[in-house]
Amino acid sequence: MTDTTSSHPDLEAGESSTLPPKRSDSRLLNGLQRPGTKAPKDALKAVYAAGVYKANLPLDILLVQTFMAGFYIAMAGQFFLSVGGDFLGAAMFPVGLVAVVLTSGELFTGDALVFITAWLGQKVTSKQLARNWTVAWLGNFLGALTWASLLSYASDALHDKGQVELAIHIAQKKALQPWFHIFLKGIGANVMVCLGIWMATCSEEVAGKILAIWFPTTGFVIMGFEHSIANQYFLPLGMMLMAQHPEIEGPRITVQHLLFKALLPATLGNLVGGGIFIGAIYWYAFDSMESMNRVRERIGRAWSSRPHYHHKKQDQHEQASQDSA
């Protein structure tokens, strides 16, 4: 920062100035005095802006950012396995989501929050929402599979840490639950993930964003909830390791089971948890009245522009003229 007691050209050497800071210094001081958090409505506006930005990403950038988001979540998954899971693994897992947020990655579960909110606020279209969710889910899967196949499986890193059996056990446990249980656990997981993302959006500082993300994410892992993108890493990795180690007992997971009985319910649960319980709730709390008024106006204009409506109004006018005559 500039020293406000620096020499002034009209002063003798050795004397110091007590002039007020220059305009640029004043702006800097004002910046340092900013509050550390956004107001709730300002956080909603930031989510809207994120939705518009994400909806207009070129396809190549969207593909890269979705791939890297899945890659980072898989990184966190291997971190979890390498330390033996349990509380320590849960405490380390949020590093993946922090990496996604701070690099502007495109994570399907976070985009459930962003796009439902922005869609309800009429900032993005249904087509843009569908495009983002489809590319994000597939890109995340590709990123998670790349890490799982190269850095977890082919590298023998988990074998070196003695965690192969743990990885297989976790995959079996996650995949072979009742469909509805996975769906409900998917809701719980993304409520907590998107709560962390919403709170991180409220924060103006990197440290605040990290803290906001860390504790809810640790919590969902400890509680055994199901995150669809994390499962895109854990389940295929478990399948690879089962094939490599047939001596380890337990039921095998087929590709059909992976897609339709494990990932599908987790994905739908994540959409409900992040999109409805966080995105729609806070849209309703902070912007629903204005948005609903805009919807009513749009419906009213569409209704009044119908040809049948105009004919009916004309008939009513003619009938009124005849009655008055």
Side-chain angles (χ1 to χ4, degrees), residues 160-182:
D160 296 341
K161 300 293 293 183
Q163 303 296 356
V164 168
E165 193 166 350
L166 173 65
I168 292 175
H169 173 70
I170 287 175
Q172 291 170 336
K173 185 177 180 181
K174 285 180 170 294
L176 302 173
Q177 304 173 74
W179 197 96
F180 193 59
H181 288 185
I182 299 175

Side-chain angles (χ1 to χ4, degrees), residues 179-197:
W179 197 96
F180 193 59
H181 288 185
I182 299 175
F183 172 75
L184 293 177
K185 290 178 180 179
I187 293 176
N190 218 28
V191 164
M192 301 191 73
V193 167
C194 289
L195 176 61
I197 291 173

Side-chain angles (χ1 to χ4, degrees), residues 229 279 314:
I229 309 307
Q314 184 177 2

Side-chain angles (χ1 to χ4, degrees), residues 234-311:
F234 286 118
L235 301 188
L237 174 62
M239 294 165 67
M240 297 177 206
L241 294 173
M242 288 177 209
Q244 188 183 40
H245 297 274
E247 72 278 5
I248 298 179
E249 296 182 357
R252 277 11 190 187
I253 303 169
T254 65
V255 173
Q256 182 179 4
H257 190 102
L258 166 71
L259 294 175
F260 298 107
K261 295 186 178 181
L263 292 181
L264 177 61
T267 298
L268 295 176
N270 290 166
L271 288 176
V272 172
I276 304 302
F277 282 94
I278 301 296
I281 289 293
Y282 289 119
W283 165 80
Y284 184 80
F286 302 131
D287 192 36
S288 61
M289 187 63 68
E290 294 179 16
S291 293
M292 288 305 296
N293 286 339
R294 290 194 296 268
V295 170
R296 291 190 189 100
E297 290 174 4
R298 186 185 301 175
I299 293 173
R301 288 195 299 269
W303 181 265
S304 62
S305 64
R306 295 182 314 145
H308 175 71
Y309 177 84
H310 289 296
H311 290 318

Side-chain angles (χ1 to χ4, degrees), residues 9-308:
D10 295 331
L11 297 176
E12 296 294 329
E15 296 184 42
S16 59
S17 168
T18 56
L19 294 174
K22 297 177 182 178
R23 181 177 297 180
S24 59
D25 296 333
S26 299
R27 285 200 297 266
L28 180 57
L29 289 171
N30 289 336
L32 293 174
Q33 294 168 359
R34 289 184 309 171
T37 58
K38 297 183 182 72
K41 287 191 176 182
D42 291 333
L44 179 65
K45 291 176 182 177
V47 174
Y48 284 163
V52 173
Y53 168 78
K54 290 168 179 284
N56 291 285
L57 280 176
L59 182 59
D60 58 331
I61 302 299
L62 182 59
L63 285 168
V64 169
Q65 289 289 61
T66 58
F67 176 89
M68 292 307 299
F71 201 70
Y72 292 143
I73 295 299
M75 172 189 72
Q78 184 162 343
F79 207 164
F80 174 87
L81 293 172
S82 297
V83 299
D86 294 329
F87 179 80
L88 181 58
M92 295 296 101
F93 188 85
V95 68
L97 188 57
V98 169
V100 170
V101 170
L102 296 185
T103 61
S104 298
E106 293 293 323
L107 188 66
F108 172 80
T109 47
D111 285 348
L113 159 68
V114 171
F115 273 83
I116 285 291
T117 308
W119 181 79
L120 288 170
Q122 301 176 54
K123 308 300 182 184
V124 302
T125 65
S126 300
K127 183 178 179 181
Q128 289 173 320
L129 179 149
R131 172 185 182 261
N132 176 274
W133 283 359
T134 301
V135 176
W137 197 91
L138 294 173
N140 291 168
F141 203 174
L142 182 59
L145 277 175
T146 300
W147 185 289
S149 58
L150 296 180
L151 302 179
S152 297
Y153 175 75
S155 70
D156 254 357
L158 290 175
H159 184 273
D160 296 341
K161 300 293 293 183
Q163 303 296 356
V164 168
E165 193 166 350
L166 173 65
I168 292 175
H169 173 70
I170 287 175
Q172 291 170 336
K173 185 177 180 181
K174 285 180 170 294
L176 302 173
Q177 304 173 74
W179 197 96
F180 193 59
H181 288 185
I182 299 175
F183 172 75
L184 293 177
K185 290 178 180 179
I187 293 176
N190 218 28
V191 164
M192 301 191 73
V193 167
C194 289
L195 176 61
I197 291 173
W198 188 279
M199 293 191 297
T201 303
C202 293
S203 176
E204 299 284 3
E205 307 295 338
V206 170
K209 292 179 183 294
I210 292 173
L211 285 173
I213 292 168
W214 208 278
F215 292 101
T217 306
T218 298
F220 100 75
V221 178
I222 290 173
M223 286 187 266
F225 289 153
E226 301 295 344
H227 188 275
S228 58
I229 309 307
N231 288 356
Q232 289 177 347
Y233 166 77
F234 286 118
L235 301 188
L237 174 62
M239 294 165 67
M240 297 177 206
L241 294 173
M242 288 177 209
Q244 188 183 40
H245 297 274
E247 72 278 5
I248 298 179
E249 296 182 357
R252 277 11 190 187
I253 303 169
T254 65
V255 173
Q256 182 179 4
H257 190 102
L258 166 71
L259 294 175
F260 298 107
K261 295 186 178 181
L263 292 181
L264 177 61
T267 298
L268 295 176
N270 290 166
L271 288 176
V272 172
I276 304 302
F277 282 94
I278 301 296
I281 289 293
Y282 289 119
W283 165 80
Y284 184 80
F286 302 131
D287 192 36
S288 61
M289 187 63 68
E290 294 179 16
S291 293
M292 288 305 296
N293 286 339
R294 290 194 296 268
V295 170
R296 291 190 189 100
E297 290 174 4
R298 186 185 301 175
I299 293 173
R301 288 195 299 269
W303 181 265
S304 62
S305 64
R306 295 182 314 145
H308 175 71

